[in-house]
Amino acid sequence: MKLLAIAFWTVMWAMAGVAQQPPKLPDIGTMVKPAEPVEPVLPDFFPLAQVAEQAQNSDQEMEALQADAEGVKVETGVTAQLGKQAKEISARTAETSAILGASPGLDALQSQETVWAEMRRLLSNWQSELAARADLLERRDQRLAKLLDTWQKTLDEAKKAGAMPEVLKRIGAVMDQIQKARTAGQRASSGIVALQTKVSNEDARAREMQVAITQAQSRAMRMLLQPDAPMIWKPDALQRSADVMRMDAGEALPVQWSALGAYLLRQRGALVLHGLIVVAFFLLITWMRRHVGQWAVGDESLRGAAVVFGVPKSTALVLAVLVSGWIYPQPPRIFWAVVGGVALVPTLYVLHHLVAGSLRKLLYGLAGFYLCGVVLNLAAPWPVLSRFLFLGETLAGALFCLWFLRRATKPDDTSARLWSISLLAVRLAMTVFGVAFVMNALGYVGLARFLTAGLFKSTYLALVLNAAVSVVDALVGCFLHFRPVAKLRAVQRHRPMLRRRSSRLLRWLAGLWWATSTLDVLSLKRPVFEAIETTLTSNWILGSATLSIGGVVTFLLMVAGAFLLSKILRFVLEEDIYPRVRLARGVPYAISTILHYVILLVGFVLAVAALGYDMTKFTILAGAFGVGLGFGMQNIVNNFVSGLILLFERPVQVGDIIQLETITGVVTHIGIRASIVKVGDGSEVVVPNGKLIADRFTNWTLTDRKRRLEVAVTVAKDADPQRVIEVINGVAADHPLVVQAPAPQTCLTEFVAGGIKFELRVWTNRFEDARPLSSDLSVAVHKALTEQGIALL
């Protein structure tokens, strides 16, 4: 359960950063294409002796056919949804026609194109499902026709043979049942054909609107690079011209407000659900705020969370806006404008508490420019006034950016990276404002509005995403403090690392979301994605082999994914599984290493399959490669197999202290070809695995880490040997690294010229501390003997 908890919040972080896309309309039921039944071969007629048996078989076969036919009734679901979809198409047609009549901009056309493409996708799915249903009924009718023909011939043969009336009656009953089933199936087929016609009609309406949108996009793209108003200094700049009177979709307010009202009436249930979500978020954040203050005392990374949860209403609104894309299906364009306006206030309020100093001035400036945009929309019916107001807005924007760059100073609590990004964004905004000002003055009003609209929308989206990332990151930080997640060893030991990784993931996802949405605003999303798709699907022909860039990218991603999956699984095993399971020393490392090899091997095979390479040829190539290895790379294969033997047999394990020839050190790694031994001077020796299997070496810590030490002591010949032994044993027994079983032992080994030689023998459980312990004992023995007046030689 604890592992599932980690997987759960990981998936939730990924979901919080998914790029915003219009929600898909629901498909009808679980429309699974049924398996084709195996049809038994029918004879020309059934013998009289088999009439009863075949009649029963025919009844069972018709029941099976009927079950197959009624198991997936697509027409029922389509009929239930088609009327609602037809009303939606009618409403959307009126809305789109009004917007097209107002000469909309590219961003509005892109939004409308997305809506109609999704509608056509749904209608296309229905057509495919209805076609599959009609095909099923057609095959069923053909089978029943063959069955009826067989029974008709059986009846004729029975009459010729003078069969009993009961037999003829039974045959007639079977034929009547088959005929009724055929009639019902043909009636259902006729209904499906009529339904397909209705769906085709609705699809034709949607296709007509798509064509109109495509034509409008072409016109808008052509007009974008052409002057649509007189130059600002010319006398006729104040005249009302047809070109200047054109309004983009943001200016066609009456039409869009009417469409928004109709849409919200159709989505009353979604509005109620959204309101409940806001309340739920508010209650959750209010409840969590009680604990965050306590956690923030011991976890500095939660101080930002404490600030975010200090404004629960604004935080709840930001989260509710974040999930609105999954609640409202195919909303009109003005819906997102309204949602953005509603989200701007709580977003600025949340960010106001998270940033300080000069960055707050940016927030206030953005709020001011948002109000300017509202004024420009209200002034849309007066094109000349709107143009001059727009000219003043771009000039004010350029001057504000210039003032900020000259006067702003980096706040102390702001990271250098955030400050650099802010300065870069301000410089880019100043450039866009300047270009828009010049273009407006030269008469390219449409181009100027397109540039500033893209700038403002991408900036506001960046603000909302920044606030959302802060809120979600705070939720993740709190989640790591709640049970049972907080009880996981991985969380307890690596909470800061998990926070950093989750924050980085959220920032990357938010960045991808922002980039995709900005491309959409600039009407570049589809051409960019089409260019990427074209690039990925292009093929390279290398002799008889054909490779695609997409296949190569998929190969690299799958290999990288295999490495990442292996790393995550080994991390979970080492942090939360192995400490809770009693395993012999070295077994966890062997399991992790073998698991790593298996995952990489499976990932590589799948990656090769994804590359489009024929796996049959790959098997042959692998066999030939194996033969080549056997002859030309014997040492490498030998070391690889030896590494596997080391992992399974475990004569040496990571952490063991070994002595091989002239080197003695700690085994720090057992790899696929060689092992690494770190010796006492800090250097690392690479030892081929085959050498550890074939050659003799000493493993000082194979079964335990005990080590016996000998310390030689020589005293003057007039010393009392028994007293010397007692003093030395007492010193050894008092040392914390000396084990008491077996007890320290001092022996008189020999008499030397002018003195007596003793040897202290002790055991320790810490092999790696043998040398420091030997030194400590020598110093302590010298001190103790000196204090006792015993002279040393």
Side-chain angles (χ1 to χ4, degrees):
M1 293 298 294
K2 295 180 179 180
L3 296 180
L4 290 177
I6 291 182
F8 174 76
W9 59 256
T10 304
V11 174
M12 291 304 295
W13 301 342
M15 289 178 63
V18 172
Q20 178 180 355
Q21 297 179 357
K24 298 181 179 180
L25 294 176
D27 292 338
I28 303 300
T30 55
M31 302 176 181
V32 182
K33 185 177 179 180
E36 295 186 4
V38 179
E39 297 182 354
V41 179
L42 294 174
D44 290 339
F45 62 91
F46 298 120
L48 291 179
Q50 299 179 5
V51 167
E53 179 184 356
Q54 293 299 332
Q56 185 176 1
N57 292 340
S58 297
D59 292 340
Q60 294 176 355
E61 183 175 355
M62 282 188 291
E63 290 176 0
L65 291 173
Q66 188 69 16
D68 288 338
E70 295 188 359
V72 186
K73 281 195 172 181
V74 176
E75 61 271 25
T76 303
V78 174
T79 303
Q81 292 287 338
L82 184 59
K84 186 186 299 185
Q85 189 66 17
K87 293 180 181 179
E88 182 75 16
I89 290 176
S90 298
R92 295 286 187 176
T93 300
E95 174 191 345
T96 303
S97 299
I99 292 177
L100 292 177
S103 300
L106 286 172
D107 54 343
L109 293 173
Q110 181 68 27
S111 175
Q112 292 296 316
E113 183 187 28
T114 302
V115 170
W116 287 103
E118 183 63 22
M119 287 189 177
R120 290 205 64 196
R121 184 200 65 80
L122 180 61
L123 293 172
S124 176
N125 288 343
W126 287 356
Q127 285 283 33
S128 300
E129 291 156 0
L130 289 173
R133 170 71 169 164
D135 181 65
L136 174 64
L137 292 176
E138 177 65 22
R139 287 186 284 103
R140 175 176 176 270
D141 183 73
Q142 293 175 359
R143 176 63 179 177
L144 291 175
K146 294 178 182 178
L147 194 61
L148 183 62
D149 181 65
T150 299
W151 279 107
Q152 180 63 51
K153 294 179 179 179
T154 302
L155 180 61
D156 295 339
E157 293 295 329
K159 290 179 178 179
K160 292 179 182 179
M164 298 178 62
E166 290 78 4
V167 176
L168 299 178
K169 184 177 180 181
R170 177 57 172 155
I171 296 174
V174 173
M175 294 176 62
D176 290 341
Q177 186 177 0
I178 295 174
Q179 187 59 48
K180 290 179 181 179
R182 285 197 68 192
T183 302
Q186 291 169 356
R187 187 165 52 249
S189 297
S190 300
I192 289 179
V193 171
L195 193 57
Q196 284 178 309
T197 302
K198 294 180 180 179
V199 174
S200 297
N201 293 337
E202 298 301 329
D203 185 67
R205 295 171 60 191
R207 183 172 61 253
E208 181 181 353
M209 296 310 303
Q210 268 194 318
V211 172
I213 292 171
T214 302
Q215 294 174 350
Q217 284 178 319
S218 300
R219 289 194 301 270
M221 187 62 70
R222 290 194 301 269
M223 293 296 297
L224 195 62
L225 301 178
Q226 296 179 4
D228 48 13
M231 296 180 181
I232 198 69
W233 55 83
K234 290 190 175 181
D236 58 349
L238 300 179
Q239 297 178 1
R240 201 176 184 84
S241 64
D243 290 334
V244 180
M245 288 177 62
R246 77 176 183 88
M247 301 187 300
D248 61 20
E251 296 165 344
L253 293 179
V255 173
Q256 296 200 57
W257 279 112
S258 176
L260 178 61
Y263 176 80
L264 294 179
L265 286 176
R266 297 193 301 270
Q267 299 294 332
R268 291 187 293 269
L271 286 173
V272 174
L273 175 62
H274 206 179
L276 294 176
I277 290 176
V278 173
V279 174
F281 278 139
F282 174 74
L283 295 176
L284 174 64
I285 294 169
T286 303
W287 176 74
M288 295 180 69
R289 183 174 58 175
R290 303 173 184 175
H291 304 277
V292 173
Q294 302 174 357
W295 295 334
V297 176
D299 188 355
E300 294 184 359
S301 62
L302 285 181
R303 293 181 180 178
V307 174
V308 170
F309 291 153
V311 285
K313 295 180 182 178
S314 299
T315 302
L317 287 175
V318 171
L319 288 175
V321 169
L322 193 66
V323 301
S324 59
W326 288 279
I327 299 176
Y328 299 98
Q330 298 296 324
R333 177 172 173 259
I334 196 173
F335 173 84
W336 294 118
V338 173
V339 170
V342 173
L344 186 62
V345 176
T347 297
L348 292 176
Y349 193 65
V350 171
L351 293 178
H352 172 82
H353 290 79
L354 292 175
V355 300
S358 300
L359 291 179
R360 286 184 177 176
K361 299 176 183 178
L362 277 181
L363 297 179
Y364 302 149
L366 289 171
F369 285 117
Y370 182 80
L371 295 177
C372 290
V374 174
V375 173
L376 282 175
N377 283 334
L378 294 177
W382 301 278
V384 177
L385 175 62
S386 176
R387 180 182 179 185
F388 277 92
L389 288 176
F390 177 56
L391 198 68
E393 181 189 34
T394 53
L395 179 61
L399 293 177
F400 174 78
C401 293
L402 180 62
W403 170 82
F404 181 85
L405 290 173
R406 298 188 63 178
R407 296 295 183 88
T409 56
K410 177 181 175 300
D412 295 335
D413 56 349
T414 302
S415 65
R417 182 178 182 183
L418 176 61
W419 182 247
S420 300
I421 293 175
S422 301
L423 293 180
L424 178 62
V426 172
R427 291 190 182 96
L428 179 61
M430 184 176 65
T431 304
V432 173
F433 279 131
V435 172
F437 179 83
V438 173
M439 291 295 101
N440 190 355
L442 294 176
Y444 294 87
V445 180
L447 178 59
R449 288 184 181 274
F450 176 75
L451 293 175
T452 53
L455 173 65
F456 283 130
K457 289 178 181 178
S458 62
T459 303
Y460 294 145
L461 178 61
L463 284 179
V464 173
L465 289 177
N466 192 5
V469 167
S470 301
V471 172
V472 176
D473 187 52
L475 290 174
V476 171
C478 294
F479 183 75
L480 293 177
H481 283 272
F482 280 113
R483 296 182 179 180
V485 178
K487 292 296 184 181
L488 296 173
R489 281 184 84 251
V491 175
Q492 293 175 354
R493 298 181 56 189
H494 304 283
R495 185 179 282 114
M497 183 269 290
L498 293 175
R499 285 298 311 277
R500 290 194 303 270
R501 297 288 176 85
S502 63
S503 298
R504 189 181 305 168
L505 176 63
L506 288 173
R507 287 195 296 269
W508 273 100
L509 293 177
L512 291 175
W513 189 340
W514 176 84
T516 303
S517 300
T518 300
L519 289 176
D520 198 9
V521 167
L522 298 176
S523 300
L524 297 175
K525 180 179 177 180
R526 187 169 68 175
V528 169
F529 277 47
E530 288 178 350
I532 293 175
E533 182 180 1
T534 302
T535 302
L536 293 178
T537 54
S538 60
N539 294 326
W540 292 339
I541 300 178
L542 304 174
S544 59
T546 302
L547 295 178
S548 66
I549 298 179
V552 174
V553 172
T554 304
F555 174 84
L556 296 177
L557 289 177
M558 293 192 71
V559 172
F563 276 99
L564 180 61
L565 177 61
S566 172
K567 186 175 181 180
I568 293 175
L569 288 179
R570 286 183 292 150
F571 174 78
V572 173
L573 288 173
E574 292 168 4
E575 295 295 334
D576 277 294
I577 301 299
Y578 295 150
R580 291 173 168 81
V581 181
R582 286 191 173 185
L583 295 174
R585 191 171 62 90
V587 173
Y589 182 83
I591 294 175
S592 296
T593 304
I594 294 172
L595 180 65
H596 176 64
Y597 292 157
V598 170
I599 291 176
L600 293 187
L601 178 61
V602 173
F604 178 77
V605 173
L606 294 178
V608 171
L611 190 60
Y613 194 82
D614 188 355
M615 295 305 295
T616 304
K617 296 180 180 178
F618 177 76
T619 305
I620 298 174
L621 180 62
F625 186 66
V627 174
L629 286 177
F631 287 101
M633 307 176 69
Q634 293 184 13
N635 289 334
I636 295 178
V637 175
N638 177 40
N639 289 325
F640 173 74
V641 175
S642 298
L644 295 179
I645 294 175
L646 290 176
L647 291 176
F648 283 105
E649 188 178 332
R650 291 180 287 123
V652 60
Q653 304 163 24
V654 172
D656 281 349
I657 299 175
I658 66 172
Q659 180 177 347
L660 178 65
E661 296 178 348
T662 60
I663 63 171
T664 300
V666 181
V667 179
T668 59
H669 176 71
I670 300 176
I672 192 172
R673 187 194 65 84
S675 299
I676 297 177
V677 179
K678 189 170 186 178
V679 298
D681 60 2
S683 61
E684 294 180 324
V685 180
V686 179
V687 180
N689 292 331
K691 195 173 186 63
L692 295 175
I693 294 297
D695 294 354
R696 178 180 176 180
F697 67 93
T698 302
N699 190 338
W700 292 95
T701 56
L702 178 61
T703 56
D704 55 47
R705 304 191 71 79
K706 288 184 177 182
R707 169 76 183 272
R708 194 187 74 175
L709 301 178
E710 294 85 17
V711 178
V713 180
T714 304
V715 299
K717 63 180 180 179
D718 57 347
D720 182 6
Q722 187 61 36
R723 180 58 181 164
V724 172
I725 292 175
E726 291 176 358
V727 172
I728 295 177
N729 284 341
V731 170
D734 292 338
H735 199 286
L737 295 183
V738 175
V739 299
Q740 301 304 316
Q745 184 181 23
T746 303
C747 302
L748 192 156
T749 56
E750 62 179 311
F751 295 95
V752 296
I756 306 173
K757 190 173 183 179
F758 296 86
E759 185 179 71
L760 169 63
R761 297 174 183 175
V762 298
W763 286 86
T764 180
N765 286 327
R766 298 174 60 87
F767 186 97
E768 60 276 11
D769 295 330
R771 286 193 175 184
L773 176 58
S774 178
S775 175
D776 291 347
L777 290 175
S778 298
V779 173
V781 167
H782 180 276
K783 181 179 180 182
L785 292 176
T786 302
E787 291 176 352
Q788 294 295 325
I790 301 174
L792 287 87
L793 296 181

